[in-house]
Amino acid sequence: MKHLEKIYDKILDNKSLEERLDLWRREGRTIVFSNGCFDILHRGHVEYLSKAADLGDKLIIGLNTDDSVKRLKGPSRPVNDEKARAVVLAGLEFVDAVVFFEEDTPYNLIKNVQPDILVKGNDYKAEDIVGYDIVTAKGGKVETIELVNGFSTTKILEKTNSQL
């Protein structure tokens, strides 16, 4: 399989995700889940996601659709459309699957995935993370990861706009 085919093979619809999850669970893999908009992928994202991947065997990223990002971040966002954001994320070697969600939160996606480990940045308290109840009810863990100071899409856009 060519590299680009491998990247596109990681971008899954719900049915394909279920099939992949079934396989990984039969293999005894630890499933890690995180989510976000990942509008302009930067160093902070890469370090955060690589640390998340280190917590288990398979890393699934729930990716907000364009409509979801607009509702959360405003009409000028996203900068990159959902397909572009998915391809960039899937291009990271430690990301095993990218799946879109339309809602403002990934609650229903987390309910479907049933990850062993749910991960967000440490700007959240574990018990406030969407899906905490789902993951802990089945004996899973909710982890927070330290963010890289000075890196955020919003700050990058503010800096860019101030230079125009």
Side-chain angles (χ1 to χ4, degrees):
M1 190 181 282
K2 302 269 187 216
H3 289 290
L4 191 57
E5 291 171 344
K6 289 178 186 175
I7 290 170
Y8 278 101
D9 187 55
K10 294 181 186 181
I11 303 170
L12 306 177
D13 59 23
N14 287 327
K15 184 179 184 312
S16 299
L17 176 63
E18 283 180 33
E19 292 168 0
R20 205 73 54 98
L21 284 167
D22 286 343
L23 171 66
W24 293 337
R25 285 199 178 99
R26 282 195 310 273
E27 294 174 343
R29 306 294 184 156
T30 301
I31 309 297
V32 179
F33 178 91
S34 191
N35 67 281
C37 299
F38 302 103
D39 194 3
I40 298 175
L41 198 67
H42 53 71
R43 175 185 163 193
H45 289 137
V46 172
E47 289 191 21
Y48 162 79
L49 291 173
S50 67
K51 290 175 184 176
D54 288 341
L55 296 173
D57 300 313
K58 297 293 179 179
L59 176 61
I60 299 171
I61 304 299
L63 184 63
N64 294 74
T65 62
D66 290 348
D67 287 340
S68 177
V69 174
K70 277 186 193 339
R71 287 192 304 274
L72 295 169
K73 305 283 186 175
S76 64
R77 301 279 297 277
V79 173
N80 292 299
D81 68 32
E82 61 195 45
K83 183 176 179 181
R85 292 181 288 122
V87 168
V88 171
L89 283 168
L92 297 172
E93 71 176 77
F94 47 78
V95 171
D96 297 288
V98 177
V99 62
F100 296 106
F101 66 97
E102 183 68 37
E103 302 84 6
D104 291 348
T105 75
Y107 191 80
N108 289 326
L109 180 55
I110 293 167
K111 200 179 332 180
N112 291 340
V113 171
Q114 294 286 317
D116 301 299
I117 303 170
L118 175 62
V119 181
K120 287 296 281 181
N122 69 351
D123 51 337
Y124 290 89
K125 289 196 314 201
E127 56 275 3
D128 294 336
I129 295 172
V130 169
Y132 175 90
D133 57 330
I134 296 166
V135 174
T136 57
K138 67 169 236 154
K141 292 191 248 171
V142 178
E143 301 279 345
T144 59
I145 293 176
E146 188 172 344
L147 299 176
V148 180
N149 247 352
F151 288 91
S152 81
T153 299
T154 301
K155 286 182 182 175
I156 290 169
L157 290 174
E158 286 172 355
K159 182 179 178 183
T160 303
N161 289 336
S162 71
Q163 293 175 348
L164 295 179

